Amino acid sequence: TSGNGGDSDKEKEKKTLRVVTDAAYAPFEYLDKGEIVGFDIDIVKAVAEEAGYKVDIANTGWDPVFLELEKKIADVGVSAITINDDRKKTYDFSVPYFLSTNKIMVPEGSDIKSAEDLKDKTVAVQNATTGQEAVEGLLGKNSSQIKKFENNNLAILELKAGGADAVVADNTVIEEYAKNNPNDKFVIIEDKDAFAQEFYGLMFPKGSALKVEFDKALNELLDNGTYAKIYNEWFKVDPDVQILKDQQ
Ligand code: ARG
């Protein structure tokens, strides 16, 4: 940092974008001593900077991310948001920046060994996520065995309290949780037949001019090593950039 205080004139001209997130999804977006941090946060900051914008990041919660973008109140949504056809009807997405899949988190010793085993169990999910959708596919759309929560941390608390037999959510989130909370004694189950590959994108209001600018900036970061640097800081391994590029 230059540390000389005061923005340059060029800095001052930059437009500030309203970026919305649900900061209850570590390590992608979460609160650390009141500050919104995470892999997604570093990515959106770097991409915006590359594209020539400043960002103002607001922790709105999950449903408002979608509402604000639909109403064009916010400029960008970043929230480990899976790109899918249903959402594409209402929003625009950047090129993919992360590969994910749903997995199952259960207490150690659970008899749940696959997605199929969820059929006579109670499953906690975050409302309006691909995890909910996947579980609905297994248990039925209106199944009373599906407990929906406003954020994923609440779904995990339900599992902890014994009110659910499993949580279904994005692999990285529950893998990190299980690793960082060994006393909870949760284990993660993968089921590649039941849960598809998903890709996260930055989300924009439909027709936003930012899509093109952000795609260009994100590609620059994928190519120049900045993406890999951020990825490495959070996940301690190198990303598979090619798998993202192949999706474009
Ligand atoms: N990837 C999933 C989806 O798009 C879950 C994302 C939840 N993100 C969050 N910040 N709570 O539906």
Side-chain angles (χ1 to χ4, degrees), residues 22 25 29 62 79-82 87 126 129-130 170 198 200:
D22 170 32
Y25 217 57
E29 44 269 331
W62 180 244
S79 221
I81 305 170
T82 299
R87 290 173 180 166
Q126 183 182 5
T129 58
T130 55
D170 292 356
E198 301 182 10
Y200 297 164

Side-chain angles (χ1 to χ4, degrees), residues 32-165:
D32 184 14
K33 301 182 194 82
E35 202 193 332
I36 307 170
V37 297
F39 172 75
D40 279 359
I41 305 304
D42 287 350
I43 290 293
V44 80
K45 283 180 178 166
V47 175
E49 189 184 0
E50 178 69 30
Y53 292 95
K54 293 204 266 189
V55 290
D56 180 10
I57 302 175
N59 179 22
T60 59
W62 180 244
D63 291 341
V65 165
F66 292 84
L67 273 173
E68 284 209 18
L69 286 160
E70 189 172 356
K71 295 193 170 135
K72 306 190 197 284
I73 297 166
D75 302 293
V76 185
V78 67
S79 221
I81 305 170
T82 299
I83 304 167
N84 64 30
D85 288 342
D86 192 39
R87 290 173 180 166
K88 276 192 202 163
K89 289 182 212 154
T90 316
Y91 308 95
D92 282 340
F93 285 93
S94 70
V95 292
Y97 70 87
F98 196 85
L99 169 65
S100 176
T101 186
N102 277 289
K103 287 191 185 175
I104 309 165
M105 185 161 76
V106 295
E108 223 174 76
S110 164
D111 57 358
I112 298 168
K113 303 285 177 231
S114 70
E116 187 69 24
D117 295 336
L118 294 174
K119 287 197 168 147
D120 54 357
K121 304 287 187 188
T122 302
V123 187
V125 295
Q126 183 182 5
N127 190 47
T129 58
T130 55
Q132 178 190 333
E133 217 177 290
V135 175
E136 282 177 349
L138 296 161
L139 304 187
K141 204 166 167 56
N142 298 311
S143 169
S144 58
Q145 293 159 237
I146 306 174
K147 289 192 175 176
K148 300 163 205 163
F149 295 89
E150 196 177 314
N151 71 54
N152 196 61
N153 292 338
L154 295 173
I156 294 174
L157 279 178
E158 187 71 4
L159 178 63
K160 225 172 134 163
D165 303 303

